Each structure stands twice: as C-alpha cells, then as structure tokens.
Amino acid sequence: MTVRTVLGDVEELGVTYAHEHLFMTGGWPVREEPDYRLDSLDAAVAEVSAARRLGLSAVVEMTPLGFGRSPSLMRELAERTGLHVVAVTGFHKSRYYADDHWLHHYPAHEITELLVSEIELGMDEYGLAGPLVRRSPARAGAIKIATGYHAFGRGIRRLVGAVAAAALATGVPVVSHCDKGTMGHELLDALAAEGVPADRVVLGHIDHNPDAGYLISLAERGAYLAFDRPGRIKYGTDAEIVALVAELAGHGQGDRLLFGMDLARRSYWPHLGGGPGLTYLLERFVPRLEAAGLGEAAAAALTRNPGAAFALRDLTADGADGDARAGRPVPRA
C-alpha cells in the first residue's frame, strides 16, 4: 500500500480522519464568511497536537482549488507535528467559481492535464489561479469533485470526465462533497461510465442523509462512506451516527466506513475559541461506539479502511477498461 502525502509517499497512514480542513486562506469561503478563514499555523499545530496525543496519525485535507488551499502550510504543519497530510486537487461546487474561471471554459482534457500535474509534479501554491504556476514539492493524493443538492450542478458532468481521467492516469482516489448526502448513486454511475469503479470513490457528507438503507446500498456497490459530522450537533445527533454504524456493520459493510469531522470553521476549533475540536472524535465519539459494541467497526473505519481507500492503485492491473486511460496527459512543469 502506498499513499501520497504532502511530505512524500508513505506505506501506512495509521489512525486517519478522512475529511478535514486545516487551512483555508482565501477564495470564496473567506470572502463570504470570515468564520471560514483558517490561516493560523500555530492554531493548526495546537489542534493537531492535541489530537496526536490521542493517537491521530493522518488527515485527508479536503480544501480544493479556489478555496485558499496552502501546500506550504500543510507541509510545515506535517513537519512540526509528524502528521501525515493527504491533500487534494480538484473542485468544490461549480457555482463557487466565477463565470470567467477556467474550469467553466477549458476543455476537459486540459483540466485533466492540470489535475495530473498537481498529483505527479506538485501542487500550485496559488491554486492554479494563474497566470504563473509556483509548483510546490507537495503533491496531491486525491481528487475532489462536488455535487449539489439532488443535482450535479452547472458543468459538473463535464468535470466528472476530467476528474475520472486524472484518477485513472495517476491511481489516486476520487473524493466527493455530496450536498446533504444526496447524489451518491448518480455520482457513482457517472464515474463508472468513465471507468472509475465505486471502490475508488469516497462519498463525503453522506451521513447528512441518515437513511440506513440508502447508505447500505452505496456501500454494497463498494464505495467508501465518509461519516464526517460527529460532534456537529446542529446537523444531527451522535446517537444517529452510532445507529448508522451499527446498521452498516450489521449488514457486513463495516469495511466501507471512514470517519472525519469536517471542522472547516474557526468556531469549531478550541484554540480559536470554539469547539468541538479535533480531539472530539477520538475522545468522545469513538468511546460511544465502543460502548455500543462497535469497537471493531470503529477501529477499521479509522485505520484499515482509510489505508485502502486512499492507497494509490493501478486500475489497469484490476482489469479496468484500458480505453479509459487512453491519451494520458503528459504533466507540464
């Protein structure tokens, strides 16, 4: 198993949060809501260090292009704390990008080339805002795509093709924002049509749709389900999530579960005056699972499952459609 982190490829992740935001330094979220500004390295070090003392080993940092992603800050955080940081390239919902943004205009194959370059050569320090590229030594380890509420959203079907081609070319997984937990099957169908199997897809925010039957049907296809709202009670109780974990484990789908917290606001960080903080998952939520007899499912969701979900994988060796990889773009420095 090999996973790509901002400090290089590693063979083991350990205890992993599969959906977090450590830095958002500009772009749409910060313009719209100052609470989204996460630009303090010292605060991030303090938050991560507290969780590290409880056993946290790795985080998938889900901040995409256009949201103030900072490869240099991610690298410095990893160096100071020993945390494995898996970064993403790719996009949030297309409506968050101005009408003149290149994602609305570039041909799909050129978007694929940009994504592949971020994975194989290094991420741009300025999020491909252009016109110049300042290539970081930090490489992305996953590709993000986002769907809207019960809809793909403007231009997303075209981006699915570009994202799929980049995933097939590089072997990284596709990670998603599924608005309110919707569009899971539709996104899996669209990616499968481009050659990406469901077991190379992580469906984010999927527990915002707490329908056990729906979640089981996604897991049965092989998709990984990122439960990323424990502790954020305004979206639903932890008891609800515990019940969903029990349902999935009871149906033999415990190997499809991932956990995270998605703490994308200053008001979620104790070291910035808020809560519940990164420690909550290990300190409070996991013990509830263990008390409910779900300790084995919790351990798998934090260790074994993310190791498999975020590992690089050559899909041609798995019998994937070779035509899906035809015309692999050549990265440019």
Side-chain angles (χ1 to χ4, degrees):
M1 182 199 83
T2 301
V3 179
R4 182 147 297 161
T5 80
V6 297
L7 293 183
D9 292 353
V10 300
E11 300 304 314
E12 184 176 351
L13 286 178
V15 173
T16 302
Y17 288 6
H19 190 126
E20 294 305 330
H21 295 274
L22 301 172
F23 299 105
M24 289 193 291
T25 64
W28 173 86
V30 172
R31 288 196 306 270
E32 295 296 313
E33 173 55 74
D35 195 30
Y36 282 119
R37 180 177 289 280
L38 297 174
D39 58 0
S40 170
L41 177 62
D42 288 341
V45 167
E47 291 289 328
V48 165
S49 296
R52 290 277 287 145
R53 288 191 287 271
L54 296 173
L56 180 65
S57 177
V59 159
V60 181
E61 216 288 2
M62 291 284 285
T63 304
L65 297 169
F67 273 53
R69 181 194 68 181
S70 179
S72 59
L73 286 175
M74 283 189 268
R75 279 179 57 84
E76 190 166 353
L77 175 70
E79 289 168 347
R80 286 178 58 174
T81 64
L83 184 75
H84 296 309
V85 180
V86 179
V88 303
T89 186
F91 315 100
H92 212 295
K93 291 184 287 189
S94 58
R95 69 181 180 85
Y96 293 152
Y97 301 87
D99 287 345
D100 61 352
H101 194 282
W102 53 263
L103 77 82
H104 299 300
H105 304 286
Y106 283 13
H109 73 274
E110 292 183 351
I111 295 176
T112 297
E113 183 177 336
L114 291 172
L115 298 176
V116 169
S117 295
E118 289 234 309
I119 296 160
E120 297 195 339
L121 298 179
M123 294 179 286
D124 178 29
E125 286 288 352
Y126 302 107
L128 296 177
L132 300 178
V133 172
R134 301 295 187 212
R135 192 76 65 190
S136 166
R139 297 188 290 174
I143 310 172
K144 184 171 183 174
I145 192 166
T147 53
Y149 177 61
H150 283 301
F152 275 99
R154 173 189 173 191
I156 292 297
R157 284 188 178 274
R158 182 174 67 93
L159 289 179
V160 166
V163 166
L168 292 166
T170 60
V172 304
V174 176
V175 296
S176 75
H177 166 104
C178 291
D179 222 35
K180 306 299 186 293
T182 64
M183 298 298 290
H185 283 298
E186 293 85 351
L187 181 57
L188 293 180
D189 290 343
L191 287 166
E194 301 289 342
V196 177
D199 67 353
R200 295 305 292 157
V201 183
V202 175
L203 298 174
H205 313 319
I206 205 68
D207 55 336
H208 285 247
N209 186 350
D211 179 333
Y214 170 65
L215 298 177
I216 289 167
S217 70
L218 294 169
E220 287 176 340
R221 295 182 66 171
Y224 287 94
L225 310 183
F227 283 13
D228 50 40
R229 69 170 173 89
R232 292 187 295 144
I233 309 306
K234 63 184 179 180
Y235 296 120
T237 67
D238 286 356
E240 203 169 46
I241 306 303
V242 171
L244 290 174
V245 173
E247 288 276 3
L248 281 150
H251 283 79
Q253 301 301 326
D255 62 346
R256 299 294 99 187
L257 286 173
L258 306 170
F259 293 150
M261 296 194 67
D262 189 22
L263 301 185
R265 292 176 177 268
R266 300 175 68 85
S267 55
Y268 291 149
W269 290 28
H271 289 88
L272 293 174
L278 284 177
T279 61
Y280 183 94
L281 190 63
L282 295 175
E283 194 168 47
R284 299 189 48 190
F285 182 68
V286 169
R288 286 195 66 171
L289 293 174
E290 292 170 342
L294 297 167
E296 184 177 339
L302 287 168
T303 53
R304 184 175 67 250
N305 300 350
F310 294 100
L312 301 176
R313 197 170 100 198
D314 182 356
L315 292 180
T316 60
D318 300 334
D321 183 0
D323 290 339
R325 291 174 63 100
R328 172 176 173 166
V330 177
R332 295 176 182 170

